[in-house]
Amino acid sequence: MTDYNQPVLDALPPKGGSREKAISELGANEAPELLHLASTERGKSKLAAQKALAKIDYEPAAAYWKKLLKSPQKCEKILNHTFSNTVSDLLADQLLAFLQTFLEKKSGSKISWEEHETLLAFLGMMPGKASEKMCKVYELAAEHIQKISSFKRDSEVLKLTYRDTSIFNISDTLEGVTLEQAFPMILVGSVLMDGDSRLQALACKLYEQYGGAWLSPVFASALLTKPAGEVFEAFSPYYKDPVAQRFILNVLGTVKFDTKQNRHTFLFGWGHMLRDDTYFSLTPLLFEDLDVRWIELLAADPEEKKLSGLIKTSYYVGKVTGEFDDVLGDLLPLNNEICCQKVQSYFLKRAILDDGIGATYVGILYRIRYEDVESILMKKWSQKENATSIWNVSSDLQSFTHWPAQKRAVLFEQVGQLVQEKKLKISYWKPDTAEELKNNLLK
């Protein structure tokens, strides 16, 4: 164990949250002390020491990390949010060995549950790692993903199928994706997390060499580092290509207009909210707000069939929803009234074309302050596909209208009258419940 400075340890609070906080604030100058604490503390204080140490390039800690990585599932939440080259090299060694083992297997090989969990943990720790060895992991993945692209679905080695499926839940944003989709988007997350020039150069190299989905990290890097007009001129032609369009939309699906900052920002959820507390959000601002010509391009043809299965994050929680109009709706610059008015007709036509209008269109029309929200809500409630309950009606009135309380209550009463006349079917509509909800709307 490296020598450490005992007075630094003596100055820490004796226990509890204050000790945990003080440990988390130690930095590179206290690396020996952090290594000692990571080895000797318990509970939350130990975790705080490990996370602080993981942010530091400290070679004497290599043996500690190497031992910890023998159980990758246990260290995912420690190492998934760090840029350390020391950690990056050790993780890359493990990943390269893991992938090489499977490349030696026969086509169509299945993996055990333990191997499946190990793979997810390794992939979960990749973001932000930019060492030379980690770049080799991406290069290996790119080389073999392209090589097997002509194989039948069930025999593609790098898909590492488990239970006869090639779908993996890698993070809250990369949920239900194949490894062919995952590796380029993990590189997107890495670029957003750190902005490391080595990762940006790697993205360009892989796209030049292999093309395809490696366009996504190149596009994400451009949005982070270049003027909006320049990015549009360079990348909008790809959107017009039926294959490349998906790779552009997968990145735009992680861009949001943040109403608090009045800016376009990325929102890329990494980790899992419900899996060992590994979740965090990557939210860097774009170099400049998205060029409005992107909005016009996406909203050009409302009757055209749109891509599904897109990677995107909802406005609130990282998810894959596959909804083209969700992507467009989250991109709308809500401080640009002219732009929002221009796309009203697009969303109204899309709502009419949709068999069962849902929260996507109601929410978007609400955000762009469409005046006749009442007709949209009535259409939503009247469609059997939505299985509307009395609580849905109350919630929609609160969530999707800019009206005063009295106007909300009046429409709620009108809906109740239609239910009584059997002109509208709303489940669980009972007088006592209706009165209680109406009073809540008036508060």
Side-chain angles (χ1 to χ4, degrees):
M1 182 72 70
T2 305
D3 291 338
Y4 56 88
N5 189 347
Q6 187 63 42
V8 172
L9 304 183
D10 293 340
L12 294 171
K15 60 182 179 178
S18 57
R19 181 176 180 83
E20 180 187 346
K21 183 175 183 295
I23 290 173
S24 69
E25 292 172 351
L26 298 177
N29 292 334
E30 295 83 30
E33 289 74 39
L34 282 170
L35 178 55
H36 175 76
L37 290 166
S39 304
T40 59
E41 289 288 307
R42 293 184 177 182
K44 292 182 178 180
S45 293
K46 182 182 186 72
L47 182 60
Q50 291 172 322
K51 287 186 173 182
L53 181 63
K55 296 177 181 177
I56 302 168
D57 270 320
Y58 186 54
E59 189 60 34
Y64 178 84
W65 295 128
K66 188 173 183 179
K67 181 179 179 181
L68 202 66
L69 279 165
K70 289 181 179 179
S71 302
Q73 294 94 325
K74 293 182 180 179
C75 54
E76 183 180 354
K77 66 181 176 182
I78 300 168
L79 301 180
N80 68 347
H81 200 179
T82 175
F83 319 123
S84 164
N85 287 316
T86 303
V87 171
S88 181
D89 276 344
L90 291 168
L91 176 61
D93 285 339
Q94 297 270 2
L95 254 171
L96 285 167
F98 188 91
L99 292 177
Q100 287 287 6
T101 297
F102 279 93
L103 285 174
E104 294 169 3
K105 290 178 178 284
K106 292 182 179 179
S107 297
S109 295
K110 304 295 190 295
I111 63 174
S112 68
W113 177 251
E114 182 181 354
E115 290 168 327
H116 173 268
E117 292 296 285
T118 298
L119 174 63
L120 293 188
F122 280 147
L123 297 181
M125 290 184 278
M126 284 182 71
K129 314 299 188 294
S131 66
E132 185 176 346
K133 285 186 177 179
M134 186 57 74
C135 289
K136 290 185 182 299
V137 172
Y138 286 107
E139 290 172 1
L140 177 69
E143 176 186 353
H144 289 282
I145 285 173
Q146 186 191 52
K147 186 183 297 184
I148 63 174
S149 62
S150 62
F151 291 178
K152 292 182 179 180
R153 185 178 182 85
D154 291 337
S155 63
E156 293 178 358
V157 177
L158 260 185
K159 281 189 174 178
L160 308 183
T161 56
Y162 180 74
R163 293 181 178 176
D164 297 321
T165 179
S166 59
I167 300 300
F168 292 81
N169 296 329
I170 295 167
S171 76
D172 276 359
T173 292
L174 301 182
E175 184 175 327
V177 297
T178 65
L179 292 183
E180 287 87 340
Q181 294 172 307
F183 277 104
M185 290 304 294
I186 290 172
L187 185 52
V188 169
S190 286
V191 169
L192 300 184
M193 183 172 172
D194 193 19
D196 194 298
S197 59
R198 293 173 294 178
L199 294 173
Q200 295 180 29
L202 174 65
C204 292
K205 176 183 177 181
L206 293 179
Y207 181 64
E208 288 174 3
Q209 192 166 355
Y210 299 106
W214 298 102
L215 175 64
S216 292
V218 179
F219 182 38
S221 176
L223 289 171
L224 277 179
T225 60
K226 296 179 180 178
E230 183 179 328
V231 174
F232 180 81
E233 294 295 340
F235 289 91
S236 57
Y238 292 108
Y239 180 81
K240 299 170 185 177
D241 178 273
V243 175
Q245 184 182 108
R246 180 176 299 277
F247 309 135
I248 294 295
L249 286 172
N250 280 343
V251 175
L252 291 178
T254 64
V255 176
K256 307 284 165 269
F257 183 79
D258 186 338
T259 54
K260 292 182 179 178
Q261 302 182 78
N262 271 336
R263 285 289 313 275
H264 277 108
T265 180
F266 283 98
L267 177 56
F268 195 113
W270 194 260
H272 297 269
M273 288 187 176
L274 302 178
R275 177 179 169 173
D276 298 327
D277 193 27
T278 58
Y279 184 83
F280 59 91
S281 290
L282 304 169
T283 57
L285 291 170
L286 277 64
F287 185 80
E288 289 180 353
D289 278 345
L290 201 66
D291 192 305
V292 294
R293 288 178 291 176
W294 283 110
I295 310 296
E296 295 168 0
L297 186 60
L298 269 64
D301 188 354
E303 296 186 6
E304 181 184 45
K305 185 177 180 181
K306 306 300 181 183
L307 285 178
S308 60
L310 299 175
I311 294 171
K312 78 170 290 292
T313 50
S314 75
Y315 197 76
Y316 303 102
V317 182
K319 288 289 179 186
V320 175
T321 68
E323 292 291 339
F324 177 94
D325 291 326
D326 273 345
V327 174
L328 177 54
D330 282 345
L331 295 177
L332 297 177
L334 301 181
N335 61 345
N336 187 330
E337 188 176 344
I338 295 175
C339 178
C340 290
Q341 286 178 346
K342 284 183 177 179
V343 296
Q344 276 190 10
S345 61
Y346 170 87
F347 286 110
L348 286 170
K349 287 178 182 178
R350 294 290 291 169
I352 292 169
L353 289 169
D354 191 36
D355 288 336
I357 183 169
T360 292
Y361 298 109
V362 176
I364 292 170
L365 291 167
Y366 163 77
R367 293 205 300 274
I368 62 178
R369 293 187 172 271
Y370 175 63
E371 292 182 359
D372 191 14
V373 174
E374 180 176 336
S375 65
I376 297 297
L377 287 173
M378 291 300 293
K379 180 180 178 182
K380 176 178 183 288
W381 298 333
S382 65
Q383 291 179 332
K384 294 179 181 179
E385 294 87 346
N386 290 320
T388 303
S389 73
I390 187 172
W391 295 283
N392 295 139
V393 174
S394 174
S395 176
D396 286 347
L397 285 168
Q398 290 178 318
S399 300
F400 299 130
T401 65
H402 299 281
W403 303 335
Q406 186 63 42
K407 185 174 180 180
R408 289 173 177 165
V410 167
L411 182 56
F412 187 79
E413 286 185 322
Q414 290 173 355
V415 171
Q417 185 63 36
L418 291 172
V419 172
Q420 292 296 320
E421 296 171 1
K422 297 185 178 181
K423 295 179 179 178
L424 186 62
K425 186 175 181 180
I426 304 292
S427 60
Y428 304 106
W429 197 286
K430 297 179 180 180
D432 290 347
T433 306
E435 186 66 23
E436 179 184 350
L437 292 175
K438 187 188 81 169
N439 289 337
N440 289 339
L441 288 171
L442 288 168
K443 290 180 180 178

